[in-house]
Amino acid sequence: PLANLRNTPFIIQIGTADMEGVPRYTMTKRYVDAVLKLRAADPGGFPIEYREHPGKGHQIDDSDTPPWLARHVRNPVSAKVVWEMDSLSNARRRKTGRAARFAWLRAEDPVDDQRVTALCEGNTVRVEAEGLERLTLLLDDRLLNLDKPVRVLAGSREIFQGLVPRTVGSLVDSLLERGDPELAFSATLPLDLSPQE
């Protein structure tokens, strides 16, 4: 899903005459327009660079791509994360039997067409979730000050307030999940997002 690209810098280059066999230019333009529409609705997200090469076909000069990529570094702990799980992604995940994980979010039982937006502001995490009742936040001091109480809001409802302990278990579990030290987190906070009666 395109929404998952919110924090991923990427560059697309295409020749405007790249239409032989497959209408690449038309398809690419439609894709880029969809991403730019998302960026217009979420300023600060979708760091895309789009370049057209007028009159060029499939062979273009994209030698400026490596320097562009070198200027952009992944931020593994973006303060705002948007995560959509479509049925295809969820079917692949089911084959592995593992929980779904995206950035600093984990869902043990993700559902098709779920959407989660999570935002860290100071020591408050705001969560908007569609189609999901349980979510785990993977936290550390890059996102919040874990020496102070953390507050979690689901919409306007407070669902957690308190200290979230750092544990070796959280660090090890999150490291084993991805094998990436930058995606290892020292604290785990399970949340119940189900509506209150």
Side-chain angles (χ1 to χ4, degrees), residues 26-46:
T26 306
M27 292 166 49
T28 299
K29 188 75 172 125
R30 197 167 33 239
Y31 179 85
V32 168
D33 287 346
V35 174
L36 292 176
K37 184 177 178 183
L38 288 171
R39 180 167 70 183
D42 184 3
F46 303 95

Side-chain angles (χ1 to χ4, degrees), residues 81 83-86 89-90 92-94 96-118 127-138 177-178 188-193:
V81 177
W83 178 24
E84 290 183 355
M85 173 77 78
D86 60 16
S89 301
N90 207 11
R92 276 189 242 131
R93 184 215 49 89
R94 278 190 204 100
T96 68
R98 293 185 302 198
R101 166 103 183 262
F102 186 77
W104 44 274
L105 306 174
R106 180 192 299 139
E108 300 297 332
D109 302 308
V111 295
D112 295 352
D113 302 320
Q114 77 179 31
R115 179 182 170 89
V116 179
T117 301
V127 177
E128 299 287 340
E130 298 169 22
L132 192 63
E133 293 191 354
R134 292 188 309 139
L135 179 71
T136 299
L137 304 182
L138 306 172
E177 263 183 328
R178 289 285 188 256
T188 305
L189 180 58
L191 302 173
D192 181 357
L193 302 172

Side-chain angles (χ1 to χ4, degrees), residues 1-22:
L2 289 180
N4 296 350
L5 296 173
R6 183 195 187 276
N7 301 314
T8 305
F10 62 102
I11 184 170
I12 296 177
Q13 300 200 51
I14 187 83
T16 60
D18 192 350
M19 300 290 280
E20 190 175 318
V22 175

Side-chain angles (χ1 to χ4, degrees), residues 55-193:
K56 298 288 184 179
H58 195 59
Q59 301 299 318
I60 59 172
D61 178 10
D62 60 358
S63 59
D64 54 350
T65 297
W68 186 93
L69 290 171
R71 291 192 307 273
H72 295 83
V73 178
R74 171 188 72 152
N75 178 2
V77 289
S78 296
K80 182 176 181 180
V81 177
V82 179
W83 178 24
E84 290 183 355
M85 173 77 78
D86 60 16
S87 56
L88 181 61
S89 301
N90 207 11
R92 276 189 242 131
R93 184 215 49 89
R94 278 190 204 100
K95 287 182 182 178
T96 68
R98 293 185 302 198
R101 166 103 183 262
F102 186 77
W104 44 274
L105 306 174
R106 180 192 299 139
E108 300 297 332
D109 302 308
V111 295
D112 295 352
D113 302 320
Q114 77 179 31
R115 179 182 170 89
V116 179
T117 301
L119 172 64
C120 288
E121 296 176 309
N123 253 36
T124 298
V125 182
R126 298 180 184 281
V127 177
E128 299 287 340
E130 298 169 22
L132 192 63
E133 293 191 354
R134 292 188 309 139
L135 179 71
T136 299
L137 304 182
L138 306 172
L139 304 172
D140 68 15
D141 291 283
R142 294 173 293 177
L143 289 164
L144 306 161
N145 181 349
L146 295 180
D147 290 329
K148 296 182 177 179
V150 171
R151 183 176 186 221
V152 180
L153 300 174
S156 60
R157 180 171 55 104
E158 183 176 272
I159 59 172
F160 178 84
Q161 172 134 4
L163 291 172
V164 183
R166 300 174 190 89
T167 68
V168 172
S170 292
L171 196 59
V172 170
D173 289 346
S174 59
L175 178 60
L176 291 175
E177 263 183 328
R178 289 285 188 256
D180 181 345
E182 294 209 17
L183 289 174
F185 296 87
S186 59
T188 305
L189 180 58
L191 302 173
D192 181 357
L193 302 172

